[in-house]
Amino acid sequence: RTASVFCALGELQSDLRVSQIHALAGRVEHVPAKQLSEQLDRMVNSARSEIEAVPGVQGIRIERQAEMRYVGQVHELPTPIPDDADMEVALQGAVQAFHALHRQRYAFNMLQKPVEMLAVRQEVVGTRAWDVPSYEVIENPDATKAVKARRKVCFPSNGSYAWIDTPIYDGERLKPGHAFQGPAIIEELDTTIALQPGDKLRLNRYQIYEIDVAEAAHG
């Protein structure tokens, strides 16, 4: 029912993300783990206060990936860095994950070949907890009382078009559980839904219109 503002609704409900990248180059065993951890934490802190100031944020989650490749390669694989307080242990886990990813992507790996890093990417995620609201479903699917008018509407018909007498439904009067078949027009406050002849519609408990499209519409 919120088709016209669906993107805005998603923005209000989705988690917030700040993408960051820390460039470095060298074999993993030569990466100074302590300094890397401190640098990444400083980057997190630079975004934390801004994210936490947004209403509805209930926590911060960090997601990290290393751009890794075998020494001598010209392409790299984004590899998740395990969430571990000890960065040295986390990097070792990332190397093992890289070997597995390389085998999955290219059907082989080289366990004895050194692995190098080009950068670490991290997402500072502000989590916002929300529940999808649900509503009581009425037992009677008859939506006749929600019809506010009838008028001729042009629909595809037998390879051409025809003006068909069509019921016009007031969207505000439709309740979860109401169901009917097209042709029909549903007029909401901020959007209009056209139900093609033969389509079947039902408003579910989440205030979402479920439409079964008639097979003839695929021809």
Side-chain angles (χ1 to χ4, degrees), residues 36-217:
L36 175 61
S37 178
E38 291 173 351
Q39 175 61 31
L40 293 175
D41 286 343
R42 283 194 292 269
M43 293 169 64
V44 169
N45 291 334
S46 69
R48 182 185 298 273
S49 58
E50 182 178 356
I51 291 178
E52 289 180 337
V54 177
V57 172
Q58 297 189 343
I60 298 291
R61 184 178 73 251
I62 311 300
E63 299 173 358
R64 288 172 175 157
Q65 287 188 328
E67 298 289 341
M68 289 183 159
R69 66 186 182 187
Y70 290 118
V71 172
Q73 284 185 320
V74 295
H75 56 268
E76 57 276 350
L77 280 175
T79 305
I81 299 178
D83 184 14
D84 195 293
D86 189 328
M87 179 57 72
E88 187 171 350
V89 174
L91 291 177
Q92 293 173 359
V95 170
Q96 297 304 313
F98 169 77
H99 288 309
L101 281 172
H102 198 282
R103 184 173 185 82
Q104 180 182 7
R105 179 73 60 85
Y106 302 109
F108 76 97
N109 56 20
M110 297 177 283
L111 299 179
Q112 304 306 316
K113 196 170 182 64
V115 177
E116 63 181 1
M117 295 174 57
L118 300 181
V120 174
R121 299 178 183 274
Q122 68 181 8
E123 301 281 338
V124 185
V125 183
T127 58
R128 292 195 281 191
W130 60 278
D131 296 320
V132 179
S134 61
Y135 303 85
E136 182 180 355
V137 177
I138 62 174
E139 296 182 1
N140 184 5
D142 183 13
T144 305
K145 293 183 178 180
V147 175
K148 63 179 182 178
R150 301 186 71 92
R151 64 173 179 261
K152 297 286 187 179
V153 179
C154 186
F155 286 105
S157 177
N158 298 321
S160 184
Y161 295 90
W163 290 92
I164 302 174
D165 183 55
T166 303
I168 312 300
Y169 288 85
D170 181 355
E172 292 187 3
R173 292 158 63 183
L174 291 173
K175 306 298 181 184
H178 275 150
F180 49 89
Q181 186 167 319
I185 299 293
I186 303 170
E187 294 183 343
E188 293 279 1
L189 178 64
D190 53 5
T191 191
T192 299
I193 298 171
L195 201 62
Q196 303 286 334
D199 290 354
K200 296 179 181 179
L201 176 143
R202 179 179 182 272
L203 185 60
N204 69 20
R205 67 173 60 250
Y206 303 108
Q207 298 278 26
I208 294 175
Y209 290 115
E210 299 176 345
I211 300 175
D212 293 329
V213 179
E215 291 184 9

